Amino acid sequence: MWAMIVKEFRQLKRDRRTLAMLVVLPVLLLVIFGYAAKFEVSNIPTIVVGPQAEQVASQLQGPFQVVEVDPGAGKSFVESRLRDGKAVVGLVTGQRPLLALMDGTQLFAAQAAEGAFAHMARAAEASGVTPPAVTVQILFDPKLMSSWIMIPGLTGLILLFIGTLITSLGIVRERQSGTIEQLAVMPFRPWDVIFGKIVPYLLLASLDLTVIVGVGMLLFGVPFVGSVATFGLGALLFLLVTLGMGVLISTVSQNQGQAIQLAIMFVVPQVLMSGLIFPISSMAEAVRWIAYVLPLSWYIEISRGVMLKDTPVAALWEPLVVLAGMAVVVLGLAMLRFRRDLAPSARHGRVTAAQPEPVSP
Amino acid sequence: MAVLAETRGVAKHFGALSAVDSVDLAVSSGEVVGLLGSNGAGKTTLIRLLLGLLRPSGGETLLFGALPSMSTRRRVGYVPQTLGLYDDMTVQENWTFTAAAFGSARPALPESVRGSKDELVGSLPLGLQRRVAFAVAFSHNPELLVLDEPTSGVGPLSRARLWQDIRDSAEHGTGVLVSTHNMEEAEQCDRLVVMVDGRVAAEGAVADVIGSRTVVQVTCDDWRRAFAVLDADGLVVQVQGELLRVPGSPRQVEDLLAGHDLPAAVATVPANLEEAFVSVVSRGPRP
């Protein structure tokens, strides 16, 4: 048995990627997720409209963070801003009771806002002041059903899984079995091979997406109130990013085990830091930026916006452009690396001077 | 005969290791050129350079007079050591995929593998898998066949069939480059290029590679003990029936055996290819 133990440690010592996963990654993840994994919401973006907007805004305290005050606007303006994701709470003044509109898709923020209103009322009563009457109206997810929030995000998680893990495994399997060498000799252009590999997964993921959304609507009553085309565009861009990541992972993995390791490293942070479970606004500022470099964060903004709030495409330009940019960068890198694997001589032509390369045979 | 594939002073270095160094090679139509060498001699690297799968560190490789490219590789049939077949697809599916990739007009499966057309390639015996790989590589009527140890791990019958196919292809004008470390196979080639440590150590027809090399043939009643004595002296001994063949001078061998009370008859005979190969490898690459 001792010999087995020693052998395992020897192999582990040489397998630096696994060693990093075992030692460095847990510490790194603990530190990052420790700051990111919070349900408490300390800042609730709030807009105040109506004749007394300035006065009410000046009286609001934390967690409400006033981001916009417009005395000339009314309820429909607030609904529009909430739909576009510009604020979570909108107070409409000039009526009794005061109307507080909340974005129900921001589950924890809406719950925190409800709690904050109750706390403010109790505090006013305790100091002998009559608290202002507030009527709360929750939009988009009136019953604050967590399944309504989770399912649009889960569609992204499934696309992420198919796009990254399944694609990378498919390509690495070609490398391991030696068929990729045969592909390189066949009259395929590199992009024929890349797109030939990813298009089936793209179609399968699209089918999966349709099924998941359908099941979510049928079983959990999740609404789909927005544009199918906008949702499809967001999903397509997100899929292209994840498929590109899958190809990239495959180009730096020699076997399926390595591909799985890397895919896990790519997927796990997205589960915990994309806003799927923990609100991005609750994350410590030092790690919040990580959420914005994760494609799932942007996809969730689109899927929740379209499915639950009918957010128009114009209001989603930012996540759509970010995902498009990510798709171009990731797919471009994947193409370059994959092309190098498939046709190394095509770019270089003949070589006349000796050029040693630090690669093992 | 038109030259189909050519390397001119091609080299490939992996760090400090020279896998291939200054190799000149040409394969013409209708000839079978054998790349003969031990494991690690650089045969596979040279093939991968020729096909453009590796970037040369020096020199150049030409396929049909041009740098390896998609259009030149279209005219090549290639069977890598790993066979390049999809284990989880049937013979017919592999065949159809390759035909589609090369834009071939859906040729019929060859008779030799038709019986297994609906079987998964991974479930076939290795000999049949290699036969399928060869058939697939030939499906688009390539002008050049590149075969990397095509008979490795197969039985004598399958090997004979594969070589029959190779010879048939060459007779129809296909140029064949085949790597091997099997002497019987090497003897079936029109021309051999013997590689040692990444360089060409000898080349030419089998007779040219053997040249005027001779070995000592030993006839001894106690041939088993004679073998042990010669082997213990560091000689490379081949056994043919009850005859022993060793490099060296007859006198030296005779004296060595006599020193162990082993009377033997010795004679100088022409070396065979294997003995010549051992001699070439022992001498190392050409300067």
PDB file of all heavy atoms in Angstrom, chain B residues 154-165:
ATOM      1  N   VAL B 154      -0.818  -6.548 -36.942  1.00  0.00           N
ATOM      2  CA  VAL B 154      -1.744  -7.448 -37.651  1.00  0.00           C
ATOM      3  C   VAL B 154      -1.064  -8.783 -37.960  1.00  0.00           C
ATOM      4  O   VAL B 154       0.164  -8.882 -38.002  1.00  0.00           O
ATOM      5  CB  VAL B 154      -2.280  -6.821 -38.961  1.00  0.00           C
ATOM      6  CG1 VAL B 154      -2.959  -5.500 -38.700  1.00  0.00           C
ATOM      7  CG2 VAL B 154      -1.177  -6.660 -39.986  1.00  0.00           C
ATOM      8  N   GLY B 155      -1.880  -9.782 -38.184  1.00  0.00           N
ATOM      9  CA  GLY B 155      -1.364 -11.126 -38.433  1.00  0.00           C
ATOM     10  C   GLY B 155      -0.789 -11.254 -39.835  1.00  0.00           C
ATOM     11  O   GLY B 155      -0.977 -10.362 -40.681  1.00  0.00           O
ATOM     12  N   PRO B 156      -0.107 -12.386 -40.082  1.00  0.00           N
ATOM     13  CA  PRO B 156       0.569 -12.563 -41.369  1.00  0.00           C
ATOM     14  C   PRO B 156      -0.380 -12.529 -42.566  1.00  0.00           C
ATOM     15  O   PRO B 156      -0.054 -11.969 -43.607  1.00  0.00           O
ATOM     16  CB  PRO B 156       1.208 -13.958 -41.242  1.00  0.00           C
ATOM     17  CG  PRO B 156       1.187 -14.292 -39.800  1.00  0.00           C
ATOM     18  CD  PRO B 156       0.106 -13.495 -39.164  1.00  0.00           C
ATOM     19  N   LEU B 157      -1.584 -13.110 -42.409  1.00  0.00           N
ATOM     20  CA  LEU B 157      -2.510 -13.160 -43.529  1.00  0.00           C
ATOM     21  C   LEU B 157      -2.981 -11.752 -43.903  1.00  0.00           C
ATOM     22  O   LEU B 157      -2.968 -11.361 -45.081  1.00  0.00           O
ATOM     23  CB  LEU B 157      -3.715 -14.045 -43.169  1.00  0.00           C
ATOM     24  CG  LEU B 157      -4.690 -14.314 -44.308  1.00  0.00           C
ATOM     25  CD1 LEU B 157      -3.996 -14.998 -45.472  1.00  0.00           C
ATOM     26  CD2 LEU B 157      -5.879 -15.140 -43.819  1.00  0.00           C
ATOM     27  N   SER B 158      -3.379 -10.989 -42.877  1.00  0.00           N
ATOM     28  CA  SER B 158      -3.836  -9.614 -43.137  1.00  0.00           C
ATOM     29  C   SER B 158      -2.707  -8.784 -43.716  1.00  0.00           C
ATOM     30  O   SER B 158      -2.909  -7.948 -44.607  1.00  0.00           O
ATOM     31  CB  SER B 158      -4.320  -8.971 -41.835  1.00  0.00           C
ATOM     32  OG  SER B 158      -5.452  -9.623 -41.355  1.00  0.00           O
ATOM     33  N   ARG B 159      -1.500  -9.033 -43.214  1.00  0.00           N
ATOM     34  CA  ARG B 159      -0.350  -8.277 -43.709  1.00  0.00           C
ATOM     35  C   ARG B 159      -0.117  -8.571 -45.194  1.00  0.00           C
ATOM     36  O   ARG B 159       0.084  -7.664 -45.998  1.00  0.00           O
ATOM     37  CB  ARG B 159       0.890  -8.661 -42.903  1.00  0.00           C
ATOM     38  CG  ARG B 159       2.130  -7.871 -43.288  1.00  0.00           C
ATOM     39  CD  ARG B 159       3.336  -8.328 -42.526  1.00  0.00           C
ATOM     40  NE  ARG B 159       3.140  -8.179 -41.081  1.00  0.00           N
ATOM     41  CZ  ARG B 159       3.853  -8.797 -40.170  1.00  0.00           C
ATOM     42  NH1 ARG B 159       4.787  -9.651 -40.532  1.00  0.00           N
ATOM     43  NH2 ARG B 159       3.631  -8.581 -38.890  1.00  0.00           N
ATOM     44  N   ALA B 160      -0.219  -9.854 -45.531  1.00  0.00           N
ATOM     45  CA  ALA B 160      -0.012 -10.226 -46.932  1.00  0.00           C
ATOM     46  C   ALA B 160      -1.070  -9.564 -47.817  1.00  0.00           C
ATOM     47  O   ALA B 160      -0.770  -9.069 -48.911  1.00  0.00           O
ATOM     48  CB  ALA B 160      -0.074 -11.745 -47.064  1.00  0.00           C
ATOM     49  N   ARG B 161      -2.313  -9.527 -47.320  1.00  0.00           N
ATOM     50  CA  ARG B 161      -3.385  -8.908 -48.115  1.00  0.00           C
ATOM     51  C   ARG B 161      -3.130  -7.417 -48.302  1.00  0.00           C
ATOM     52  O   ARG B 161      -3.315  -6.863 -49.385  1.00  0.00           O
ATOM     53  CB  ARG B 161      -4.726  -9.084 -47.402  1.00  0.00           C
ATOM     54  CG  ARG B 161      -5.330 -10.459 -47.587  1.00  0.00           C
ATOM     55  CD  ARG B 161      -6.667 -10.496 -46.900  1.00  0.00           C
ATOM     56  NE  ARG B 161      -7.288 -11.800 -47.026  1.00  0.00           N
ATOM     57  CZ  ARG B 161      -8.161 -12.274 -46.159  1.00  0.00           C
ATOM     58  NH1 ARG B 161      -8.506 -11.572 -45.099  1.00  0.00           N
ATOM     59  NH2 ARG B 161      -8.704 -13.457 -46.347  1.00  0.00           N
ATOM     60  N   LEU B 162      -2.729  -6.760 -47.208  1.00  0.00           N
ATOM     61  CA  LEU B 162      -2.472  -5.327 -47.292  1.00  0.00           C
ATOM     62  C   LEU B 162      -1.356  -5.023 -48.282  1.00  0.00           C
ATOM     63  O   LEU B 162      -1.443  -4.091 -49.076  1.00  0.00           O
ATOM     64  CB  LEU B 162      -2.107  -4.774 -45.906  1.00  0.00           C
ATOM     65  CG  LEU B 162      -3.293  -4.523 -44.977  1.00  0.00           C
ATOM     66  CD1 LEU B 162      -2.815  -4.241 -43.556  1.00  0.00           C
ATOM     67  CD2 LEU B 162      -4.109  -3.340 -45.471  1.00  0.00           C
ATOM     68  N   TRP B 163      -0.311  -5.847 -48.244  1.00  0.00           N
ATOM     69  CA  TRP B 163       0.788  -5.617 -49.174  1.00  0.00           C
ATOM     70  C   TRP B 163       0.397  -5.911 -50.611  1.00  0.00           C
ATOM     71  O   TRP B 163       0.897  -5.275 -51.540  1.00  0.00           O
ATOM     72  CB  TRP B 163       2.036  -6.407 -48.748  1.00  0.00           C
ATOM     73  CG  TRP B 163       2.845  -5.556 -47.827  1.00  0.00           C
ATOM     74  CD1 TRP B 163       2.817  -5.561 -46.468  1.00  0.00           C
ATOM     75  CD2 TRP B 163       3.725  -4.502 -48.206  1.00  0.00           C
ATOM     76  NE1 TRP B 163       3.635  -4.580 -45.965  1.00  0.00           N
ATOM     77  CE2 TRP B 163       4.207  -3.915 -47.013  1.00  0.00           C
ATOM     78  CE3 TRP B 163       4.162  -3.986 -49.420  1.00  0.00           C
ATOM     79  CZ2 TRP B 163       5.101  -2.838 -47.012  1.00  0.00           C
ATOM     80  CZ3 TRP B 163       5.051  -2.923 -49.419  1.00  0.00           C
ATOM     81  CH2 TRP B 163       5.513  -2.368 -48.226  1.00  0.00           C
ATOM     82  N   GLN B 164      -0.511  -6.845 -50.774  1.00  0.00           N
ATOM     83  CA  GLN B 164      -1.027  -7.092 -52.119  1.00  0.00           C
ATOM     84  C   GLN B 164      -1.745  -5.833 -52.626  1.00  0.00           C
ATOM     85  O   GLN B 164      -1.570  -5.411 -53.779  1.00  0.00           O
ATOM     86  CB  GLN B 164      -1.997  -8.281 -52.094  1.00  0.00           C
ATOM     87  CG  GLN B 164      -2.501  -8.710 -53.472  1.00  0.00           C
ATOM     88  CD  GLN B 164      -1.359  -9.084 -54.400  1.00  0.00           C
ATOM     89  OE1 GLN B 164      -0.487  -9.881 -54.051  1.00  0.00           O
ATOM     90  NE2 GLN B 164      -1.327  -8.479 -55.592  1.00  0.00           N
ATOM     91  N   ASP B 165      -2.525  -5.230 -51.733  1.00  0.00           N
ATOM     92  CA  ASP B 165      -3.233  -3.992 -52.092  1.00  0.00           C
ATOM     93  C   ASP B 165      -2.240  -2.878 -52.426  1.00  0.00           C
ATOM     94  O   ASP B 165      -2.443  -2.114 -53.371  1.00  0.00           O
ATOM     95  CB  ASP B 165      -4.143  -3.537 -50.946  1.00  0.00           C
ATOM     96  CG  ASP B 165      -5.338  -4.457 -50.750  1.00  0.00           C
ATOM     97  OD1 ASP B 165      -5.642  -5.227 -51.692  1.00  0.00           O
ATOM     98  OD2 ASP B 165      -5.951  -4.409 -49.677  1.00  0.00           O
TER      99      ASP B 165
END
